Amino acid sequence: MLNKRALNYTLQEFINEARHEFYEYTKLNPILLITIGGILVFLIIFYFIARCKYPKGRNTVIFVIALMILDFCLDVAFVVNNVWDVPFLFLPSLLTILVPAGFNVFSAFVVMIQQTFSKNNGELFKKWLHRHTTMAGAFTILSMLHIEILKLLTSNLLHLDLFNAPFNNTARKLLFTVGLINVFIEDIPQFVILILYFKGVGINFTFIPLFTLFINFISLLSTAINRIYELISFPSDKSERQHHN
């Protein structure tokens, strides 16, 4: 077991190597910084445009979706480029991508079907679905990246009808449950895999695993906070009935 002094030395080595790797990677790939900066600026501008257009919309969903997409892309990049540095992590890494992706698409499809045949707002949802069939299908498929993408349809973003899907309380509870399950079948396992990867390679790591670890941690923290807020902010079934009436 490492004593405190050895542990501090190991952490210092890791931090020094992380700084060096970040500097070298961005030095050799300046377009990366430009791209990230450009995307970030675009998201901020788009957020303020959406907020000015309709302040009551859940406009912060823009950043959440961007984070989830980035997290998924980095997970794939990690499996393709780096996981073979620690071979026994390949299969678990692959499963933490494929299993949640399949589960999310299936769950999104179930939610859409459930809403279509709902007694409370089925007709209202059918009318919305008829107006946006193509986009609803696209978002169902894209939910494989993360179930949060389906929630974009209820965000009232830009006050567009597309993003004002009349999901009822049952759908919100289903999406909450799916998101919670994702924490245990995707977010936590991926974080553990990355920790094991760094333990396996020591300080001989590259930029992609380092950036993936950082984004994975931010994504996990964001998801945990979102789940807590969703849990305490669910409208009651009574208030939902009053809303529809």
Side-chain angles (χ1 to χ4, degrees):
M1 181 178 293
L2 291 174
N3 57 37
K4 185 176 181 180
R5 184 175 180 180
L7 180 60
N8 289 337
Y9 179 72
T10 303
L11 288 174
Q12 188 61 46
E13 277 190 317
F14 177 83
I15 293 172
N16 290 338
E17 181 62 22
R19 289 175 178 172
H20 174 74
E21 188 61 35
F22 176 78
Y23 174 77
E24 289 297 322
Y25 192 86
T26 53
K27 181 180 178 181
L28 295 174
N29 301 274
I31 193 171
L32 175 69
L33 285 180
I34 297 174
T35 302
I36 293 176
I39 292 174
L40 186 58
V41 170
F42 170 78
L43 290 174
I44 293 173
I45 293 174
F46 186 62
Y47 167 77
F48 281 108
I49 291 175
R51 185 171 177 80
C52 291
K53 175 74 174 179
Y54 190 65
K56 293 182 179 180
R58 290 189 293 110
N59 301 307
T60 53
V61 73
I62 296 169
F63 299 106
V64 175
I65 298 300
L67 179 63
M68 298 307 171
I69 293 175
L70 176 60
D71 182 46
F72 181 86
C73 292
L74 286 173
D75 289 336
V76 172
F78 172 73
V79 171
V80 172
N81 295 300
N82 304 101
V83 75
W84 283 109
D85 295 337
V86 186
F88 77 91
L89 292 177
F90 173 74
L91 183 58
S93 298
L94 189 62
L95 290 177
T96 58
I97 293 176
L98 297 181
V99 173
F103 176 67
N104 287 338
V105 171
F106 174 76
S107 300
F109 184 73
V110 168
V111 169
M112 300 297 277
I113 295 299
Q114 186 276 330
Q115 288 299 280
T116 302
F117 295 99
S118 172
K119 294 181 180 180
N120 293 333
N121 67 333
E123 290 303 319
L124 185 63
F125 184 81
K126 285 179 183 178
K127 292 178 181 178
W128 175 88
L129 186 60
H130 180 73
R131 295 193 299 270
H132 306 290
T133 303
T134 301
M135 292 304 296
F139 274 90
T140 301
I141 298 300
L142 287 173
S143 66
M144 68 180 293
L145 305 182
H146 203 284
I147 198 64
E148 290 289 334
I149 291 178
L150 195 66
K151 293 182 181 180
L152 185 61
L153 295 176
T154 66
S155 65
N156 240 328
L157 185 66
L158 295 171
H159 204 36
L160 296 177
D161 184 58
L162 171 63
F163 300 119
N164 192 26
F167 283 3
N168 61 20
N169 222 19
T170 301
R172 294 188 180 94
K173 289 178 180 178
L174 284 172
L175 290 173
F176 170 80
T177 302
V178 173
L180 188 61
I181 293 174
N182 266 266
V183 173
F184 295 99
I185 68 173
E186 179 181 7
D187 298 330
I188 293 177
Q190 286 175 349
F191 188 74
V192 171
I193 286 171
L194 285 165
I195 295 298
L196 293 175
Y197 172 84
F198 279 97
K199 183 178 179 181
V201 300
I203 62 172
N204 300 313
F205 55 84
T206 56
F207 178 77
I208 290 180
L210 180 65
F211 193 40
T212 303
L213 178 66
F214 174 73
I215 295 299
N216 192 268
F217 175 74
I218 298 299
S219 177
L220 180 59
L221 184 63
S222 172
T223 300
I225 293 173
N226 285 340
R227 295 293 87 80
I228 293 173
Y229 286 168
E230 286 178 355
L231 184 62
I232 63 178
S233 64
F234 270 133
S236 64
D237 293 332
K238 182 179 179 180
S239 64
E240 182 187 13
R241 286 193 296 269
Q242 290 175 346
H243 173 74
H244 287 298
N245 292 334

